[in-house]
Amino acid sequence: MSRREQILATAAELFAKRGFHGVSVADLGAACGVSGPALYKHFASKDAVLAAMLVSISEQLLEVGRERVAAAPDARAAVVALVDWHVDFALRHRPLIVVQDRDWESLPEQAREQVRALQRAYVDVWAAELRAVHPGLGLEQARSMAHATFGLLNSTPHSALLPDHAMGELLHRMALGALGLEPAGVAQVPQNVT
């Protein structure tokens, strides 16, 4: 991991725990094992750290989403691959989900516009595949389905009470069900026996 990547990962953890405004450059430097001013070798400001963090993860979501769709043999498989990818993302990047949700307004306007554009493109990747799976589905309805699914999957910072593997399986089944794709081999949920 490069120093820049280490700074971004550490900043995500700190911002998620204490909020963007609750972390100083000195705090961030100390957590990274360098002086606060040494951070300026990598980022012009704390705002630039936040921008790089949220822009880069939005770029990654879109890039990998497109790769998964391109590798899928059909639209249904593409939607399953998108769900798999987003579940993996949500379980591995809980702090980034918290930061984006809570500290969005602290993001510089130019970065906000860039993140919005990347996120719209990501939603449209999902919407295109959903429309191929569900003929007659309108674009806005498909986008709404994608957004609702993101809400479910991005709940992991608050809902992941199970070990990651079990939580991932649960999220996968729930997302496919919500998208109108009955997951294959759904395990029966045991009833509480008294």
Side-chain angles (χ1 to χ4, degrees):
M1 177 183 294
S2 72
R3 174 64 79 177
R4 180 180 173 86
E5 292 168 332
Q6 178 202 11
I7 292 167
L8 290 173
T10 302
E13 293 286 338
L14 288 174
F15 294 170
K17 287 179 187 165
R18 297 173 20 200
F20 176 74
H21 294 294
V23 177
S24 69
V25 171
D27 295 335
L28 184 53
C32 292
V34 299
S35 69
L39 291 176
Y40 294 118
K41 291 179 184 175
H42 303 281
F43 298 96
S45 65
K46 190 174 78 165
D47 289 352
V49 172
L50 181 63
M53 177 189 309
L54 296 182
V55 168
S56 67
I57 198 61
S58 297
E59 289 171 339
Q60 184 183 9
L61 276 167
L62 178 59
E63 178 184 343
V64 174
R66 286 176 172 161
E67 289 170 1
R68 297 286 176 102
V69 167
D74 57 41
R76 186 187 192 290
V79 172
V80 171
L82 287 168
V83 168
D84 289 344
W85 159 234
H86 204 101
V87 167
D88 179 64
F89 159 79
L91 290 171
R92 286 187 304 114
H93 297 290
R94 290 176 180 105
L96 287 171
I97 293 169
V98 171
V99 171
Q100 173 150 334
D101 185 46
R102 187 184 51 219
D103 295 314
W104 177 256
E105 292 302 318
S106 298
L107 192 61
E109 185 61 34
Q110 182 178 359
R112 235 183 294 164
E113 289 304 317
Q114 191 175 0
V115 169
R116 279 188 191 116
L118 290 162
Q119 289 175 346
R120 280 191 297 270
Y122 184 58
V123 167
D124 283 345
V125 167
W126 281 67
E129 299 309 312
L130 288 168
R131 293 182 78 198
V133 169
H134 301 293
L137 185 66
L139 179 59
E140 292 307 315
Q141 188 175 5
R143 286 174 173 160
S144 295
M145 289 173 71
H147 280 290
T149 302
F150 300 158
L152 168 67
L153 300 178
N154 290 345
S155 71
T156 54
H158 314 290
S159 67
L161 305 176
L162 302 172
D164 281 357
H165 179 74
M167 192 68 199
E169 287 179 356
L170 177 64
L171 289 169
H172 179 86
R173 288 193 313 265
M174 291 177 70
L176 290 181
L179 295 169
L181 301 174
E182 287 302 316
V186 175
Q188 291 291 71
V189 177
Q191 300 295 317
N192 287 336
V193 179
T194 54

